[in-house]
Amino acid sequence: MQRAVLISKHIYSDAVDYLRGRVRLDYHDSDEGLPAAELRARLGDKDGLICQLTDSVDAALMDAVPNVRVVSNVAVGFDNIDVGAATDRGVMVTNTPGVLTNTTADLAFALILGAGRRLGESERYLRAGRFKQWRIDLLTGWDIWGATLGVFGMGRIGQAVARRGKGFNMRVLYYDPFRQSEEVERALGIQYASKGEVFSQADFVSLHCALTPETRHLVGPAELNAMKPTAVLVNTSRGPVVDEAALAEALESGTIAAAGLDVFEREPEVHPKLLRLENALIVPHIASASVATRTRMCVMAAENMAAGLAGERPPNIVNPAVLG
Ligand code: GLV
């Protein structure tokens, strides 16, 4: 009998086409996610779930739908899924790494450039009809070329951002609990530093770590106070990595110069202060949002699902321990 899969939300059609014929589909083809109770109800007769970062998959849900064997997230991050609980229950969890690396790094660098050179603020200024004449100190910002870039988290995306930094002649410092080999450090031209050094020496700090209990509020008042008053913080990782209220305070008081944010602590809510601060360049979680990358992510999630349900090793399994 064909396996049954619930797709919790609208995805690119290439992935749906891939799955049709391979599995029996229940496709919630909507941009609105399913309320928790409906998600649980519709999973009652399913073997797999294709979900997105807006779906919370916790132990209680997994206990309610023990028939679900594969949870395939259309994202590289998987903090919306209780992976420990999944592993305990023998549920495979998969994600979509690699394909979004460069797209995400492009956006991180766009935020570095945009926040450093005050692009959001400049555009608002012009659109408001305030550009009356050229001025020597009009909307002056902070140079990117030759500045020091601090990368927090030197995984795939951190490395891709470091490469872009080298293209801008930046000195690249990084912190990661796992230090890269000398070979990688040399090839990328990056320098290992303590967490404190990254925050205190960098002109631009870019966050590229996963959200875990250890990284929740990794950037709080102490880190912000350690940063230069001319420094810029960029976050394309997960919102809760930054204490948003502390960041808003630091931006307002001039503790740091600016921030470029793609992610927020309580998405889709944004701290009200950030919404009105000119030195916050804020975009709605679009780091991997190119058509090609988002399409590929959806197809990868479908491939992971089909492999898992066919009894094969999914190409991107997050918890291989379940395979025994
Ligand atoms: C997006 O935030 C992702 O984790 O892919």
Side-chain angles (χ1 to χ4, degrees), residues 149-163 172-181 184-185 188-192 206-210:
L149 171 64
V151 177
F152 200 97
M154 196 42 84
R156 283 176 294 259
I157 299 171
Q159 291 184 27
V161 170
R163 278 190 200 96
V172 181
L173 301 179
Y174 81 99
Y175 174 78
D176 191 301
F178 304 101
R179 185 171 178 171
Q180 293 291 330
S181 65
V184 171
E185 286 183 358
L188 289 173
I190 58 178
Q191 204 180 314
Y192 193 66
S206 195
L207 305 174
H208 300 290
C209 52

Side-chain angles (χ1 to χ4, degrees), residues 6 48-52 70-75 81 92-96 297-298 300-306:
L6 173 67
L49 167 66
I50 296 194
C51 57
Q52 300 184 30
V70 184
V71 174
S72 173
N73 214 28
V74 190
I81 302 169
M92 292 177 238
V93 177
T94 65
N95 68 341
T96 62
M297 287 165 68
C298 293
M300 276 177 97
E303 289 167 349
N304 285 328
M305 176 59 69

Side-chain angles (χ1 to χ4, degrees), residues 61-106:
L61 176 62
M62 287 184 255
D63 284 339
V65 293
N67 40 291
V68 169
R69 309 317 302 153
V70 184
V71 174
S72 173
N73 214 28
V74 190
V76 65
F78 44 82
D79 48 279
N80 56 310
I81 302 169
D82 185 338
V83 177
T87 307
D88 291 344
R89 289 157 179 76
V91 175
M92 292 177 238
V93 177
T94 65
N95 68 341
T96 62
V99 64
L100 47 66
T101 299
N102 282 311
T103 307
T104 302
D106 283 348

Side-chain angles (χ1 to χ4, degrees), residues 5 28 35 41 44 51 101 104 118 122 124 165 191 245 251 253-254 257-258 260 268 291 297:
V5 171
H28 178 60
C51 57
T101 299
T104 302
R118 303 171 64 179
S122 296
R124 283 189 293 277
Q191 204 180 314
L251 289 169
S253 63
V291 176
M297 287 165 68

